[in-house]
Amino acid sequence: MDARALSPSVTASRDQLDSLAVSNRHARARIYLQGAHVLSYRPVGAGEVLWSSVRSAFVPGKAIRGGVPICFPWFGPHPSRPDLPAHGFARLESFALDSCVDLPDGRTVVALALSASDRTRAWWPHDFQLRCTITVGPTLDIALAVTNAGASVLSFEAALHSYFDVAAIEATSIAGLQGGSYIDKVARGERNVQAAADLRITGETDRIYTPHAGPIAIADARQSRRIHVTKRGSHSTVVWNPWSEKAARMADFGDHEWHGMVCVETANVGADAVTVAPGATYEMGVAIAVAADDAIATAVD
Ligand code: TA6
């Protein structure tokens, strides 16, 4: 990676996987070129916002466990090809650095791009460009743009599969889903409606709220903070915690790590899958912000 392409707030690291470290007056972040994968985001004066596993592998072609994986062009297992990677190939492919800019207000904007290749066409026979624009500032903003570079209509699923760091899942509640209809993947895909104002995670949870476009607030009581998730262009919201038994079955997930994380994912999956005409572009994004709240401890715990 040409260091001249980097802005002053960004340095390149070459471990097993290439990454960019961003450090500006608002926050620090780490972004892997594989998957345009934001692994860490830590605003000045706050703790880490994104969760990642100590057991995550950082090897080419293997998904990183944590941060914000990009799921594209399918979500979950491939519908007909069990030999293809879960959640599509975008998170496994190395993106090119398109631009890297420090804004006058102190935020840093990193744009990464992935275009169709012979390898991706073997998995998904379409021409596309995927562009991920990451803005590191008082909030973390991730914008995904998919351009149909082919001559036929593109249909795909997409998700920003965000893992959030919480001190204790049992002292965490998720607001913004009340009244939401969801597919319960832990209950054989049953459809339910959430009546409660706040979702509390008390066991393996794997829900696709659809349609759901509104903002979410994760109340992390033991860290006296709320993590605000504001979606754009997303009509599905996925909430996931593997809990103990599933976590123990995953090699890249510590047996007890389920206790300190929850996924709230910005998505368009299933019935919310996206269709894009030739030459058109689809955009989806999320803004992630953390706010201290000392009163929260009594409200949730
Ligand atoms: O978003 C929830 C989910 O679809 C779960 O079903 C679980 O498979 C999770 O994603 C993680 O998937 P991964 O392929 O990253 O292990």
Side-chain angles (χ1 to χ4, degrees):
M1 187 180 344
D2 183 344
R4 290 169 299 177
L6 304 179
S7 63
S9 71
V10 181
T11 53
S13 300
R14 289 191 61 85
D15 298 323
Q16 288 182 296
L17 289 177
D18 287 346
S19 67
L20 300 173
V22 179
S23 179
N24 61 39
R25 69 171 185 258
H26 300 297
R28 290 186 176 188
R30 183 166 293 276
I31 304 165
Y32 282 84
L33 297 190
Q34 176 176 290
H37 194 132
V38 182
L39 187 74
S40 169
Y41 169 62
R42 187 174 188 140
V44 168
E48 178 59 59
V49 177
L50 301 178
W51 174 89
S52 58
S53 174
V54 294
R55 288 199 186 166
S56 180
F58 291 90
V59 296
K62 183 160 173 51
I64 298 168
R65 177 67 66 190
V68 185
I70 295 173
C71 304
F72 172 86
W74 60 83
F75 184 81
H78 186 279
S80 60
R81 293 272 309 270
D83 58 309
L84 296 185
H87 290 322
F89 50 74
R91 65 176 177 171
L92 307 177
E93 290 292 295
S94 188
F95 282 57
L97 180 62
D98 206 32
S99 63
C100 183
V101 174
D102 288 350
L103 299 179
D105 65 6
R107 292 180 299 160
T108 304
V109 185
V110 177
L112 300 162
L114 174 73
S115 295
S117 63
D118 290 344
R119 186 182 25 236
T120 66
R121 288 186 197 96
W123 292 325
W124 192 57
H126 299 287
D127 285 323
F128 67 90
Q129 190 193 55
L130 186 55
R131 185 178 169 85
C132 183
T133 304
I134 300 152
T135 305
V136 178
T139 66
L140 170 67
D141 194 284
I142 302 174
L144 205 57
V146 180
T147 299
N148 181 352
S152 56
V153 170
L154 273 191
S155 293
F156 54 85
E157 296 174 305
L160 296 170
H161 191 299
S162 309
Y163 287 77
F164 294 103
D165 179 297
V166 296
I169 192 66
E170 72 272 15
T172 297
S173 69
I174 300 169
L177 295 164
Q178 186 173 27
S181 172
Y182 64 90
I183 297 165
D184 190 340
K185 289 171 61 177
V186 173
R188 296 171 308 286
E190 273 177 22
R191 267 275 187 176
N192 286 307
V193 173
Q194 177 173 316
D198 292 336
L199 172 62
R200 303 295 295 263
I201 307 291
T202 57
E204 182 183 353
T205 303
D206 195 347
R207 300 181 175 187
I208 301 174
Y209 288 80
T210 174
H212 181 266
I216 294 278
I218 302 166
D220 176 8
R222 301 267 171 83
Q223 295 189 88
S224 300
R225 69 182 190 176
R226 291 182 200 277
I227 301 172
H228 294 278
V229 179
T230 307
K231 311 192 305 171
R232 302 186 301 275
S234 158
H235 302 287
S236 320
T237 299
V238 183
V239 177
W240 181 59
N241 182 294
W243 214 252
S244 54
E245 285 180 24
K246 185 160 188 178
R249 293 199 300 269
M250 293 190 284
D252 64 346
F253 203 118
D255 290 359
H256 305 291
E257 288 185 313
W258 56 274
H259 184 254
M261 57 72 64
V262 66
C263 284
V264 175
E265 302 162 36
T266 298
N268 282 308
V269 300
D272 300 319
V274 178
T275 299
V276 180
T281 296
Y282 145 87
E283 296 187 353
M284 177 177 82
V286 65
I288 295 167
V290 61
D293 183 337
D294 293 335
I296 198 171
T298 52
V300 173
D301 223 343

